């Protein structure tokens, strides 16, 4: 991005070219959080954020003979994926570290979501933290382990939120916050860069309250539960 230019690489040919800009908008989105634990990158473990992620999961489901799925996390993505998997005929277990699903809701509303999920045939495991993902002799996922139990799995879907995708921005020297999101002003102009704006999940989220002054704003983690 030096000198108000952007370098791009053609995916098929590998050829690179420069394009000049007067105004630039960065909207690189986010990437799924993959927990740093044993087995977290094993075949059969999927994050779901982009169309490519969704297609990779569908490809795995088409190849997998077993019908046991574990969803880690019970936010929007986790709940939606659990319902989709149960509708495809899988035995679904959701492992949730909260006391109820959908922590963005009040507890009584979360309980209603919990009951609705169980009504669909989904097994809910609340107040549980995944410690590792177990694999078989072939290296593929075979179970999800918490401190107290193991849950057999032929496929695992991670629904524990996202992180800002700011690798390009950081390589260009643009400012990011403590949660890796791009720092902007209230007009979404990247701080210190008059002609660059950013929007969406790649931006640091401001925890704004009318009771706070502009000098007391704090950044929240820009995950699916913080937006």
């Amino acid at each position: 991005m030096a000198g108000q230019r952007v370098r791009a690489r053609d995916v098929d040919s590998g050829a690179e070219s420069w394009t000049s800009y007067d105004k630039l908008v960065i909207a690189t989105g986010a990437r799924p959080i993959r927990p740093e634990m044993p087995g977290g990158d094993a075949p059969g473990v999927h994050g779901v954020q982009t169309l490519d992620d969704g297609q990779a999961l569908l490809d795995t489901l088409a190849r997998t003979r077993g019908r046991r799925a574990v969803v880690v996390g019970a936010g929007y993505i986790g709940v939606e994926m659990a319902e989709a998997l149960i509708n495809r005929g899988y035995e679904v277990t959701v492992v949730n570290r909260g006391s109820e699903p959908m922590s963005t809701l009040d507890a009584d509303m979360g309980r209603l979501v919990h009951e609705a999920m169980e009504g669909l045939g989904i097994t809910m495991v609340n107040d549980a933290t995944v410690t590792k993902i177990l694999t078989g002799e072939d290296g593929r996922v075979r179970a999800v382990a918490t401190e107290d139990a193991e849950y057999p799995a032929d496929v695992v879907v991670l629904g524990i939120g996202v992180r800002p995708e700011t690798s390009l921005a950081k390589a260009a020297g643009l400012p990011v916050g403590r949660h890796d999101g791009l720092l902007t002003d209230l007009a979404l102009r990247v701080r210190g860069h008059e002609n660059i704006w950013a929007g969406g999940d790649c931006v640091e989220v401001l925890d704004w309250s009318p009771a706070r002054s502009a000098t007391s704003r704090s950044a929240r983690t820009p995950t699916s539960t913080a937006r």
Side-chain angles (χ1 to χ4, degrees):
M1 297 180 185
Q4 295 201 178
R5 296 189 303 162
V6 174
R7 185 171 65 183
R9 178 183 297 112
D10 186 280
V11 174
D12 295 324
S13 68
E16 295 186 351
S17 61
W18 286 94
T19 302
S20 299
Y21 68 84
D22 296 314
K23 307 293 182 182
L24 176 68
V25 177
I26 299 174
T28 46
R31 62 185 184 278
I33 294 174
R34 279 189 173 266
E36 296 181 1
M37 65 175 68
D41 57 353
V45 179
H46 290 268
V48 181
Q49 175 70 13
T50 66
L51 290 175
D52 288 343
D53 295 335
Q55 186 59 58
L57 175 58
L58 289 173
D59 292 343
T60 291
L61 296 179
R63 295 192 302 264
T64 301
R65 294 183 179 180
R67 308 298 291 178
R68 301 168 300 180
V70 172
V71 177
V72 181
Y76 291 102
I77 293 176
V79 170
E80 290 177 1
M81 292 308 305
E83 181 182 16
L85 288 163
I86 204 82
N87 288 337
R88 294 179 73 93
Y90 277 76
E91 299 175 16
V92 179
T93 300
V94 175
V95 180
N96 174 36
R97 67 180 180 180
S99 58
E100 295 292 356
M102 302 290 289
S103 62
T104 51
L105 303 176
D106 291 337
D108 58 340
M109 294 297 292
R111 183 64 192 177
L112 293 176
V113 175
H114 181 162
E115 293 172 355
M117 293 174 71
E118 290 187 331
L120 293 174
I122 298 167
T123 299
M124 288 296 303
V125 180
N126 290 320
D127 295 312
T129 299
V130 174
T131 57
K132 57 184 174 180
I133 295 173
L134 305 177
T135 56
E137 293 181 357
D138 58 358
R140 290 185 54 80
V141 60
R142 67 171 180 84
V144 170
T146 67
E147 293 180 353
D148 303 316
E150 294 181 8
Y151 302 94
D154 301 298
V155 63
V156 172
V157 178
L158 303 175
I160 53 178
V162 296
R163 287 194 178 98
E165 178 47 80
T166 52
S167 55
L168 175 64
K170 286 189 286 188
L174 300 181
V176 298
R178 63 191 182 96
H179 299 299
D180 252 6
L182 272 161
L183 295 176
T184 68
D185 60 21
L186 293 181
L188 293 180
R189 182 184 284 109
V190 175
R191 295 183 191 177
H193 296 269
E194 182 179 357
N195 296 313
I196 302 177
W197 280 260
D201 286 343
C202 65
V203 175
E204 194 93 337
V205 177
L206 295 177
D207 186 3
W208 177 265
S209 169
R212 297 181 178 183
S213 69
T215 58
S216 66
R217 296 195 305 270
S218 63
R220 295 194 300 180
T221 305
T223 68
S224 61
T225 59
R227 293 187 63 81

